[in-house]
Amino acid sequence: MKSPLFLISVILVGALGTGLGLFAHHLSYGQHDAYLGAFDLQGTVTPANISSQVNLEIDGKGPRIEVSEKGVHDFGKMAANASGEHLFTVTNVGDAPLTLELGESTCKCTMGNLTKDSLDPGESTEVKLSWNVNTTGEKFGQQATLITNDPTRINFPLRVMGGVTRDFELSPKAMSFGTVTNQDAVDMQTRLYIYAEDNLKPTGKSEMSRRELEDLAKVDVTPLPREEFDTGFEDAVAGYNIIVHLEPGLPQGTLNENLLLDFTRDLKKSERSEFIMVPIQGSIEGRLRMVTNSKLRKKKGGGYLYLIGKLKNDEPYLGKALVILRGEDRDDINLRIESVFPEGIVSATLDEPKKGRKSTMIPIDVKLTPNGETLDYFGLAGDDNSYGKIVIASDNEDGAKMVLYLKFKFEG
């Protein structure tokens, strides 16, 4: 058994070692002056005296930088790949020398009329920014940074910005007619603004990128008086109003085509023909369509798919969908249920039409009657006959039809 004197000795030696360690740590790390000024562990630097302690002059004394245009130059619009330059005037409006240094830059930046790296009070110099509009976007911007000893603006950004023009611009950039039926005529309009110095002039010729649309399209290109130019296009050398009329008979589906306008470019000794493409976008549906939702959607390959799901084979299912009838003669058209599949299981009836300003909505009641057996119409076979079906037809001349596919399963 250890004696009490031995235990007391161990405790004293441990305490002495800890004390010596703390003292050595304080000598190494606790006595250094702060790099940022007269900071110490007692907290004598406060928000009230920080300016005097760290020499931040905020009373207007010292160097002060002032830049023309507040350092931002908007050049308006420039042609793609064109080059530009701009001079900013930098002045020291303080009462002590202002040092200047070029920092990071996204464009060429040079400092002129300055033979030394500082400006005396009241002295000015110029900083030239040069740039090239090498972008595919509609906007362009570049920036350079001046590093100074002005305590309020240590980094002063210089910016140039503006819009980018091509040889021509469309406003709007595409002709869009939304959603129409194949029985509707379509009228669209856009404006073409020419910026090319050698001017582009229309020949009056045009064509559609899809040949079957040629017989349906009528194109009119007329000069636009300068006083009718839209805001933001005043720098254009010429403008044209473009009107396109499409006769009824457009193919159903999404239309994403181009109108090709033939123009000539004036060259020094000759003329060169070239096309200007005007995008045309829209969607064409049959006069019959359905209101889609989380359970009823368009089916790939045509028609609509009603997602009913799994059902008990001892309870009938009742559902409802909405058919939309469009077209100017919609009030003269009668719809009917032409067929259902499988018969005896699927049935459907049309309710009274609800007429609107541009369309007529017709509710359709859907009923599924089980026969006590397991019936699978989940479409697993991958063909249309693996679904239930309701065929809706119209009695007009074109005999428009629409198929509503039913995805369901009666389980035992």
Side-chain angles (χ1 to χ4, degrees):
M1 180 176 179
K2 303 294 182 181
S3 65
L5 181 61
F6 176 79
L7 295 175
I8 293 173
S9 299
V10 171
I11 294 172
L12 289 175
V13 170
L16 179 61
T18 302
L20 290 174
L22 292 173
F23 180 72
H25 184 275
H26 178 71
L27 289 177
S28 298
Y29 301 104
Q31 297 298 315
H32 290 286
D33 293 332
Y35 284 109
L36 297 178
F39 293 96
D40 57 40
L41 299 178
Q42 284 70 41
T44 58
V45 177
T46 67
N49 64 14
I50 188 172
S51 62
S52 60
Q53 293 285 348
V54 298
N55 196 30
L56 278 180
E57 302 287 352
I58 58 174
D59 56 0
K61 295 182 179 180
R64 292 291 182 270
I65 185 174
E66 184 177 88
V67 181
S68 60
E69 303 172 81
K70 296 183 179 180
V72 180
H73 173 65
D74 188 340
F75 57 72
K77 286 189 175 183
M78 290 183 63
N81 299 315
S83 297
E85 61 180 39
H86 182 72
L87 292 175
F88 288 101
T89 301
V90 181
T91 305
N92 180 6
V93 295
D95 58 8
L98 173 71
T99 61
L100 298 174
E101 179 183 348
L102 289 174
E104 293 184 358
S105 174
T106 58
C107 58
K108 294 181 180 179
C109 180
T110 58
M111 216 157 11
N113 301 329
L114 183 66
T115 57
K116 51 185 179 179
D117 60 0
S118 68
L119 294 176
D120 291 331
E123 190 176 4
S124 298
T125 188
E126 290 180 328
V127 179
K128 181 173 72 174
L129 265 64
S130 303
W131 64 90
N132 180 266
V133 187
N134 55 350
T135 179
T136 58
E138 299 179 1
K139 299 292 183 181
F140 177 82
Q142 297 266 291
Q143 175 175 311
T145 302
L146 285 177
I147 301 174
T148 81
N149 64 335
D150 180 342
T152 65
R153 296 303 300 266
I154 296 176
N155 293 303
F156 197 108
L158 304 176
R159 300 187 180 94
V160 293
M161 62 183 66
V164 182
T165 63
R166 314 295 168 185
D167 281 354
F168 63 89
E169 283 191 62
L170 292 167
S171 179
K173 297 186 179 300
M175 291 183 171
S176 179
F177 55 81
T179 300
V180 299
T181 74
N182 55 3
Q183 303 296 315
D184 295 331
V186 175
D187 290 293
M188 300 168 289
Q189 181 175 340
T190 188
R191 289 182 170 184
L192 173 67
Y193 292 98
I194 304 296
Y195 289 89
E197 293 182 358
D198 46 8
N199 204 352
L200 289 165
K201 297 179 181 179
T203 64
K205 299 178 182 178
S206 64
E207 61 183 68
M208 302 292 291
S209 55
R210 190 191 293 190
R211 296 300 181 185
E212 56 263 38
L213 300 179
E214 284 289 334
D215 295 336
L216 302 178
K218 179 182 178 182
V219 181
D220 185 27
V221 180
T222 57
L224 187 66
R226 179 163 293 276
E227 59 270 17
E228 296 182 13
F229 281 19
D230 293 320
T231 301
F233 298 93
E234 295 87 354
D235 295 335
V237 298
Y240 297 92
N241 201 39
I242 302 172
I243 298 176
V244 176
H245 174 82
L246 296 176
E247 291 289 337
L250 294 171
Q252 292 189 39
T254 300
L255 185 69
N256 192 3
E257 304 296 329
N258 290 309
L259 167 66
L260 306 177
L261 298 174
D262 188 32
F263 276 70
T264 58
R265 187 185 292 272
D266 292 333
L267 303 177
K268 290 183 178 180
K269 296 182 179 180
S270 62
E271 289 186 346
R272 184 181 68 196
S273 178
E274 58 185 76
F275 282 107
I276 291 179
M277 291 192 303
V278 182
I280 296 179
Q281 303 165 352
S283 178
I284 302 96
E285 297 180 337
R287 62 176 61 219
L288 295 180
R289 66 184 183 92
M290 304 199 77
V291 176
T292 58
N293 52 47
S294 60
K295 295 188 66 175
L296 197 155
R297 65 192 184 194
K298 289 184 177 181
K299 181 178 177 296
K300 186 176 180 180
Y304 292 83
L305 181 61
Y306 192 176
L307 306 175
I308 297 175
K310 296 179 180 180
L311 305 169
K312 295 181 180 180
N313 67 352
D314 58 353
E315 295 181 5
Y317 172 83
L318 298 177
K320 189 178 288 289
L322 284 175
V323 179
I324 298 179
L325 183 60
R326 304 185 67 179
E328 296 181 356
D329 59 345
R330 62 184 181 276
D331 292 339
D332 301 324
I333 297 175
N334 295 315
L335 299 183
R336 68 181 189 279
I337 303 298
E338 183 177 82
S339 62
V340 296
F341 173 81
E343 293 184 356
I345 303 297
V346 176
S347 60
T349 56
L350 297 171
D351 289 344
E352 288 296 320
K354 299 178 180 179
K355 297 181 179 180
R357 188 168 61 90
K358 292 185 177 181
S359 63
T360 298
M361 300 184 70
I362 305 173
I364 177 173
D365 295 316
V366 178
K367 184 177 181 179
L368 304 179
T369 304
N371 60 3
E373 300 177 0
T374 297
L375 301 173
D376 190 343
Y377 290 93
F378 250 50
L380 299 180
D383 58 58
D384 291 345
N385 289 327
S386 59
Y387 296 102
K389 285 190 290 186
I390 300 173
V391 180
I392 305 167
S394 65
D395 61 2
N396 65 316
E397 293 179 359
D398 61 10
K401 293 183 181 181
M402 181 176 64
V403 181
L404 175 60
Y405 295 89
L406 309 176
K407 183 177 181 179
F408 69 95
K409 181 179 182 180
F410 278 114
E411 296 182 325

